[in-house]
Amino acid sequence: GKVRAPTHIISTISDDRGEEPCYAGVPMSSIVEQGYGVGDVISLLWFKRSLPRYCTHFIEICIMLCADHGPCVSGAHNTIVTARAGKDLVSSLVSGLLTIGPRFGGAIDDAARYFKDAYDRGLTPYEFVESMKKKGIRVPGIGHRIKRGDNRDKRVELLQQFAHTHFPSVKYMEYAVQVETYTLSKANNLVLNVDGAIGSLFLDLLAGSGMFTKQEIDEIVGIGYLNGLFVLARSIGLIGHTFDQKRLKQPLYRHPWEDVLYTKSLTI
Ligand code: ACO
Ligand code: LMR
């Protein structure tokens, strides 16, 4: 019989050897003919399956809502400074992407992990938040620099409205909202932010769609797929900021001295 030569790489998501490339076994022509969108392509390449339309629509809404948040946020700031230093598109893009992490845009996976663990263990919001405080960990998905209890994040509301209408269950999101109610009683800036909304709602999507086993959900949350949504989305805006600076022929950026506190004192 045939002897299979050992390979150095295993790949399970796509195949380019036939007449046309396939994503998770689905040929490119079907993707185009069936009018698939970017949410379907993400489903195939990340989750290796076709998801129901409400799920792929939700993914697309996440991408659209997180595509940009103005020039002042960490990522856009880095991209703008890099573009103005005369660097190319890829350098400007990755300079912005590198700011995505536990404080900015990259709290989605941790939000999903902590909300899931707390909900599944039956912790009350009080027990959850106070246990995080004892461990000295900020609750991922909670808090924002400019959003407040009386100035909520519209993106969060839109995601919640969509899920309320289309998801079979929103138990994790409702738990996150209960956590927010408790954190808001402590400080007005401790709102459920867009990372927390996506993290908790993706748990509802995974659990409620009936398309994933418990083991698969644990794997998705364990590996940390969900920050990918923000990375992908924000790339759209960061590319836009790069073009904007180039179009405007902006000069090298130098931060003004007046905006720096120069001090030798170590007590500040
Ligand atoms: N959990 C518990 N306490 C918090 C949290 C939180 N998530 N966020 C802020 N606090 C507390 C702080 O401990 C601080 O109290 P302290 O000074 O006694 O320690 C107080 O609230 C004020 O905190 P600031 O540092 O002034 O808040 P800031 O506006 O700088 O932080 C940030 C905003 C970074 C988003 C913060 O809330 C945080 O770390 N949240 C968790 C990570 C997260 O979800 N990031 C995603 C944000 S959304 C996005 O980037 C798209
Ligand atoms: C964002 O989406 O970039 C923001 O929520 C972060 C910010 O500081 O506004």
Side-chain angles (χ1 to χ4, degrees):
K2 277 189 185 168
V3 178
R4 184 82 175 89
T7 61
H8 292 98
I9 288 178
I10 303 174
S11 173
T12 69
I13 62 166
S14 57
D15 192 340
D16 61 317
R17 291 168 304 170
E19 217 167 83
E20 55 178 324
C22 290
Y23 292 166
V26 179
M28 208 55 76
S29 49
S30 305
I31 289 173
V32 174
E33 281 156 18
Q34 291 182 28
Y36 279 15
V38 76
D40 298 283
V41 170
I42 291 171
S43 305
L44 293 171
L45 289 175
W46 294 10
F47 300 105
K48 304 207 316 177
R49 70 204 70 189
S50 287
L51 292 174
R53 180 61 192 138
Y54 80 86
C55 296
T56 60
H57 194 179
F58 177 75
I59 291 173
E60 283 163 8
I61 291 173
C62 291
I63 301 292
M64 291 189 287
L65 294 183
C66 294
D68 198 43
H69 207 236
C72 301
V73 306
S74 303
H77 180 82
N78 258 23
T79 288
I80 289 170
V81 171
T82 308
R84 289 181 57 167
K87 300 294 296 270
D88 58 286
L89 172 62
V90 176
S91 305
S92 305
L93 168 63
V94 298
S95 161
L97 288 179
L98 287 173
T99 62
I100 297 176
R103 293 183 184 167
F104 168 66
I108 308 178
D109 285 309
D110 274 342
R113 283 181 196 122
Y114 281 107
F115 286 143
K116 182 172 189 310
D117 179 69
Y119 178 89
D120 291 354
R121 287 197 291 134
L123 296 186
T124 64
Y126 168 85
E127 288 167 337
F128 169 51
V129 174
E130 294 305 325
S131 72
M132 295 292 274
K133 193 172 174 191
K134 265 194 206 126
K135 287 184 247 173
I137 304 172
R138 288 183 175 196
V139 181
I142 294 287
H144 199 274
R145 282 315 287 261
I146 59 168
K147 296 297 171 191
R148 296 287 176 268
D150 48 3
N151 171 32
R152 296 296 177 89
D153 191 329
K154 189 72 190 168
R155 296 169 298 180
V156 171
E157 288 175 10
L158 291 168
L159 289 165
Q160 289 172 329
Q161 277 165 17
F162 180 87
H164 270 303
T165 312
H166 299 280
F167 283 23
S169 153
V170 287
K171 62 180 185 179
Y172 287 109
M173 189 265 275
E174 276 170 356
Y175 182 71
V177 170
Q178 286 170 26
V179 169
E180 178 193 45
T181 304
Y182 178 64
T183 53
L184 277 177
S185 73
K186 294 167 92 91
N188 201 23
N189 66 322
L190 297 182
V191 291
L192 179 66
N193 61 43
V194 73
D195 283 15
I198 295 178
S200 57
L201 281 169
F202 227 93
L203 291 174
D204 287 319
L205 181 153
L206 294 169
S209 64
M211 302 288 292
F212 299 89
T213 63
K214 275 198 165 56
Q215 209 182 342
E216 284 173 330
I217 296 174
D218 286 343
E219 192 179 36
I220 288 165
V221 174
I223 289 176
Y225 284 32
L226 305 181
N227 288 343
L229 289 168
F230 193 88
V231 171
L232 180 65
R234 194 50 60 92
S235 294
I236 300 172
L238 298 179
I239 291 171
H241 283 291
T242 306
F243 295 156
D244 196 35
Q245 296 306 306
K246 304 269 182 205
R247 193 169 47 226
L248 294 167
K249 298 193 175 30
Q250 289 297 283
L252 179 67
Y253 180 80
R254 196 174 199 281
H255 203 71
W257 280 326
E258 306 78 66
D259 192 40
V260 176
L261 173 63
Y262 290 93
T263 176
K264 289 191 176 147
S265 163
L266 295 176
T267 54
I268 288 179

